[in-house]
Amino acid sequence: MTDIRLLVLDMAGTTVADGGLVERAFAAAAAELGVEPGSADHAEKLAYVRATMGESKISVFRHLFGEESLAERANSAFEKAYAELVDGGHVTEIPGARAAVEELRADGRTVVLTTGFARVTQDAILDTLGWRELVPLTLCPADAGGRGRPYPDMVLTAFLRTGAADDVRQVAVVGDTSYDMLSGVRAGAGLVGGVLTGAHQEAALRTAGATHVLGSVVELPALVRGVDPA
């Protein structure tokens, strides 16, 4: 555990608290495509959004609406609504997240922040929190060839672009959803950590391959130093 050199951390739900903004932004996307609020169709689509937290949002909308043009319309409406909510001050850091990242970096480890959102939304969150200089690299699905979680692409892109680790087993992947866990497993990460500050509970995280489940990202520096929290 003490040989972890690169940590790939999710944003919303893991290092960033957004207070359910994904569901609020989805409502705007659904309205854009004429999905009636309160209808069975709306409820079914919202259930899918909840079940796939952590996945690339354009992939979610491709599943929900089929045609690429419809998916892109829904995604644009979602990103616009989410960005407006971010600008309205509705996102904060998970308590202690920035300090945890700074502690990891002070130990000589490299930290990369990833998201399933588009780059414009990711940048809006980073700007709101003042996190532009917090880490050397941030990634969204487009930065990794277009495939987000549960694919391993963003983790492997972080591995290749930073050069911080010699072996994928020296990589830790941390997130709040089963899709984060799957991406870490598929990338061959030595540590796949779930946190309980976001979308999914311990059972789902363990089933998807979590090697560790933490109360929050605040526990991560001690874990990678080899002090396994109870």
Side-chain angles (χ1 to χ4, degrees):
M1 202 66 64
T2 53
D3 199 31
I4 295 294
R5 301 181 188 179
L6 171 64
L7 297 105
V8 182
L9 310 184
D10 171 52
M11 292 180 66
T14 304
T15 54
V16 178
D18 70 1
L21 298 192
V22 167
E23 292 189 18
R24 292 170 64 179
F26 165 74
E32 171 69 21
L33 271 74
V35 180
E36 188 70 26
S39 67
D41 186 34
H42 190 282
E44 183 180 341
K45 286 180 166 56
L46 178 57
Y48 184 80
V49 169
R50 289 171 174 161
T52 56
M53 288 290 190
E55 185 179 356
S56 168
K57 293 300 173 282
I58 185 62
S59 296
V60 172
F61 290 124
R62 284 174 180 142
H63 175 89
L64 291 177
F65 298 108
E67 294 181 24
E68 184 67 19
S69 61
L70 296 179
E72 290 179 0
R73 276 179 58 199
N75 193 62
S76 294
F78 174 92
E79 298 287 355
K80 180 176 182 292
Y82 195 97
E84 288 173 353
L85 290 165
V86 169
D87 289 342
H90 295 283
V91 296
T92 59
E93 70 167 294
I94 294 290
R98 182 186 183 106
V101 170
E102 291 173 339
E103 190 175 346
L104 290 164
R105 295 193 66 191
D107 285 346
R109 308 182 206 278
T110 299
V111 180
V112 174
L113 294 176
T114 65
T115 185
F117 297 133
R119 168 55 62 182
V120 63
T121 305
Q122 185 176 37
D123 285 347
I125 296 170
L126 294 169
D127 288 340
T128 295
L129 297 178
W131 281 12
R132 282 282 192 167
E133 308 303 321
L134 181 61
V135 297
L137 179 66
T138 62
L139 296 171
C140 66
D143 299 319
R147 294 201 311 181
R149 308 178 192 107
Y151 297 102
D153 302 29
M154 286 195 290
V155 178
L156 296 176
T157 297
F159 176 80
L160 292 170
R161 288 180 58 176
T162 64
D166 300 326
D167 188 311
V168 289
R169 290 170 293 184
Q170 296 170 329
V171 178
V173 175
V174 180
D176 66 297
T177 73
S178 58
Y179 278 27
D180 292 300
M181 304 303 95
L182 285 169
S183 70
V185 169
R186 291 172 176 180
L191 189 160
V192 180
V195 293
L196 300 177
T197 50
H200 294 161
Q201 298 303 306
E202 181 168 1
L205 297 170
R206 294 279 188 191
T207 298
T211 59
H212 295 75
V213 176
L214 310 177
S216 85
V217 71
V218 171
E219 299 172 12
L220 189 57
L223 176 62
V224 297
R225 290 190 193 113
V227 182
D228 200 343

